[in-house]
Amino acid sequence: MDKSSLVSDFLSFLNASPTAFHAVDESKRQLVKAGYEQISERDDWKLEAGKKYFFTRNYSTIVAFAIGQKYVAGNGFHIIGAHTDSPCLKLKPVSKITKGGCLEVGVQTYGGGLWYTWFDRDLTVAGRVILKEEKAGSVSYSHRLVRIEDPIMRIPTLAIHLDRNVNSEGFKPNTQTHLVPLLATAIKAELNKTPAEGGEHDGGKKCAETSSKSKHHPLLMEIIANALGCKPEEICDFELQACDTQPSILAGAAKEFIFSGRLDNLCMSFCSLKALIDATSSESDLEEESGIRMVALFDHEEVGSNSAQGAGSPVMIDAMSHITSCFSSDTKVLKKAIQKSLLVSADMAHALHPNFMDKHEENHQPKMHGGLVIKHNANQRYATNAVTSFVFREIAEKHNLPVQDFVVRNDMGCGSTIGPILASSVGIRTVDVGAPQLSMHSIREMCAADDVKHSYDHFKAFFQEFTHLDAKLTVDV
């Protein structure tokens, strides 16, 4: 696939994915288009060799896999794992704040964001809503995604005249009192109030009686309801977050960069998903495959992965167990399969910043355009070892792909990924990698367009090459 088409597809993916729910929805759309069949964890699975499947959990985690035509129970899984979530501001259960003649929206910080970058941005809201629906006298509840296209909120900074030392002492916002989006002035909200607000419904029992009247501003509820084509009182609950309205773009003087929010980690999510789809696009792609090619995109990595749909949950081992049991009733074959498997934990890496050269260890300075970064950490903040690093590097060498190494300075703390979590809980061999980027955890990040192509090519080659390469590798014998 040529770079321009790939980058165009990536930008479309980013712009369609303001939240983890939307990222899963867009992933699902692409998988269905590519011939993947949706299955449910609530059902008994009946899988066939040579076929392609996917399932979602909480609609914020998605797992897709293709079974080789020569697969037998006990053969390995070739997995790329990434995550769908990014640091953001999520609306509080009671978001209604009125002070100083203004309507504000209470938010809570999610993950370790660079929160000062959220000031003076044109913001909106997106997420999922639980709706009450009545048809033919029957009541049901549905989950719907919503995204308000218009900028409806902003977090204004304080004028320098009222904070004279901000440039010398630094901008240090209090995340409780200063990081509160402004929705409207109270007088305008009162003038725009509609007769429907506070109206009777269902004998006075309203699903949104507490949310629309006391938990959230009626103006906000009206905007959300209009976007969904429903009444405010039909909204039972929601999970919404603030989002930047500026679209993701190809930018830079040489059109070499991608400027966008959520590159960490939608870049790796897109590249792994696209690689899986293109590595399984025809029947011939799976003719000689004896293993299972899989992509797992998890929620809640930014807050530790400890949730029902995070990498710390049983979702990975459950999927491997369910798949294996469809081909054998022998419970021992799963253990064999795990030992033959490899996980590529794909999460964005820190590119060398030209204005902060001293923040990188001298011999480990990943650069944009330089290809995927293999992450190493002796204290197991990353799960890479010599064996898994060799496998990933050997694939790069065979396909003439650039690859880089990263080790954090000894005098600095090191972040982590889903790699060590899955390596320790599942017992699977793991290599931690990621494309280099700048401005990580900012509302607006940047990476190189070349590295999107490098990542896609590397991941696709991994799916195509691992079975053959692993057969030549001897370790625990």
Side-chain angles (χ1 to χ4, degrees), residues 280-348:
T280 59
S281 59
S282 66
E283 290 187 11
S284 61
D285 288 326
L286 297 173
E287 278 182 357
E288 299 301 317
E289 179 60 77
S290 59
I292 292 175
R293 301 173 181 179
M294 176 183 285
V295 163
L297 309 180
F298 297 96
D299 193 6
H300 292 151
E301 189 276 342
E302 296 293 356
V303 292
S305 297
N306 291 320
S307 69
Q309 54 271 12
S313 75
V315 64
M316 174 66 77
I317 194 68
D318 283 351
M320 298 172 76
S321 177
H322 287 165
I323 295 168
T324 304
S325 64
C326 287
F327 295 88
S328 174
S329 58
D330 185 355
T331 57
K332 296 178 182 178
V333 295
L334 177 59
K335 295 180 180 179
K336 295 179 181 179
I338 291 172
Q339 297 309 311
K340 297 177 183 178
S341 301
L342 181 72
L343 167 69
V344 177
S345 168
D347 204 346
M348 296 296 276

Side-chain angles (χ1 to χ4, degrees), residues 177-211:
T177 57
H178 301 153
L179 200 65
V180 188
L182 174 62
L183 179 70
T185 54
I187 189 168
K188 281 290 185 181
E190 187 68 25
L191 289 173
N192 291 337
K193 185 178 292 185
T194 64
E197 291 176 14
E200 293 299 315
H201 175 72
D202 193 21
K205 295 181 179 179
K206 289 175 292 203
C207 195
E209 182 176 1
T210 55
S211 62

Side-chain angles (χ1 to χ4, degrees), residues 117-385:
T117 66
W118 285 73
F119 284 76
D120 295 336
R121 302 292 301 189
D122 299 340
L123 303 177
T124 187
V125 295
R128 72 163 167 197
V129 175
I130 307 300
L131 288 182
K132 179 180 181 180
E133 299 177 332
E134 292 187 40
K135 294 180 181 179
S138 177
V139 176
S140 63
Y141 302 91
S142 64
H143 140 116
R144 294 266 302 277
L145 300 189
V146 66
R147 177 185 192 174
I148 309 303
E149 297 292 341
D150 295 333
I152 61 171
M153 303 189 305
R154 199 167 186 267
I155 308 174
T157 48
L158 185 63
I160 194 169
H161 314 83
L162 305 178
D163 190 9
R164 289 289 186 183
N165 299 323
V166 65
N167 288 326
S168 58
E169 298 180 1
F171 182 39
K172 302 173 183 178
N174 181 299
T175 54
Q176 173 63 27
T177 57
H178 301 153
L179 200 65
V180 188
L182 174 62
L183 179 70
T185 54
I187 189 168
K188 281 290 185 181
E190 187 68 25
L191 289 173
N192 291 337
K193 185 178 292 185
T194 64
E197 291 176 14
E200 293 299 315
H201 175 72
D202 193 21
K205 295 181 179 179
K206 289 175 292 203
C207 195
E209 182 176 1
T210 55
S211 62
S212 66
K213 293 186 68 176
S214 61
K215 285 189 173 185
H216 310 284
H217 288 299
L219 177 59
L220 177 61
M221 299 301 293
E222 191 72 30
I223 292 172
I224 297 167
N226 288 339
L228 291 169
C230 71
K231 299 176 181 178
E233 58 266 25
E234 293 172 336
I235 298 175
C236 298
D237 208 342
F238 57 60
E239 289 178 73
L240 299 178
Q241 65 189 58
C243 306
D244 191 1
T245 56
Q246 186 174 2
S248 304
I249 57 170
L250 182 65
K255 296 296 182 183
E256 61 185 300
F257 302 125
I258 292 172
F259 295 167
S260 172
R262 309 174 306 285
L263 290 177
D264 175 23
N265 193 34
L266 292 186
C267 182
M268 295 293 91
S269 295
F270 169 82
C271 291
S272 58
L273 185 74
K274 183 68 173 174
L276 176 67
I277 288 173
D278 289 355
T280 59
S281 59
S282 66
E283 290 187 11
S284 61
D285 288 326
L286 297 173
E287 278 182 357
E288 299 301 317
E289 179 60 77
S290 59
I292 292 175
R293 301 173 181 179
M294 176 183 285
V295 163
L297 309 180
F298 297 96
D299 193 6
H300 292 151
E301 189 276 342
E302 296 293 356
V303 292
S305 297
N306 291 320
S307 69
Q309 54 271 12
S313 75
V315 64
M316 174 66 77
I317 194 68
D318 283 351
M320 298 172 76
S321 177
H322 287 165
I323 295 168
T324 304
S325 64
C326 287
F327 295 88
S328 174
S329 58
D330 185 355
T331 57
K332 296 178 182 178
V333 295
L334 177 59
K335 295 180 180 179
K336 295 179 181 179
I338 291 172
Q339 297 309 311
K340 297 177 183 178
S341 301
L342 181 72
L343 167 69
V344 177
S345 168
D347 204 346
M348 296 296 276
H350 299 291
L352 179 67
H353 197 308
N355 300 337
F356 298 90
M357 299 279 287
D358 61 328
K359 295 297 182 179
H360 273 75
E361 207 274 335
E362 184 178 358
N363 294 322
H364 302 89
Q365 298 182 338
K367 297 178 177 64
M368 288 187 287
H369 306 298
L372 279 169
V373 179
I374 300 178
K375 306 176 185 180
H376 308 260
N377 186 262
N379 296 304
Q380 295 302 295
R381 299 294 288 172
Y382 304 129
T384 306
N385 61 30

Side-chain angles (χ1 to χ4, degrees), residues 56-127:
T56 65
R57 181 179 286 194
N58 189 53
Y59 217 76
S60 58
T61 288
I62 187 166
V63 178
F65 56 94
I67 306 172
Q69 290 190 18
K70 294 187 176 180
Y71 172 78
V72 294
N75 287 358
F77 290 76
H78 321 151
I79 309 168
I80 301 178
H83 63 90
T84 58
D85 62 319
S86 302
C88 65
L89 301 177
K90 298 200 174 189
L91 271 63
K92 291 179 177 178
V94 180
S95 71
K96 184 178 181 180
I97 298 175
T98 304
K99 59 183 179 182
C102 293
L103 307 187
E104 294 186 306
V105 179
V107 294
Q108 52 184 329
T109 56
Y110 175 85
L114 293 172
W115 303 123
Y116 63 86
T117 66
W118 285 73
F119 284 76
D120 295 336
R121 302 292 301 189
D122 299 340
L123 303 177
T124 187
V125 295

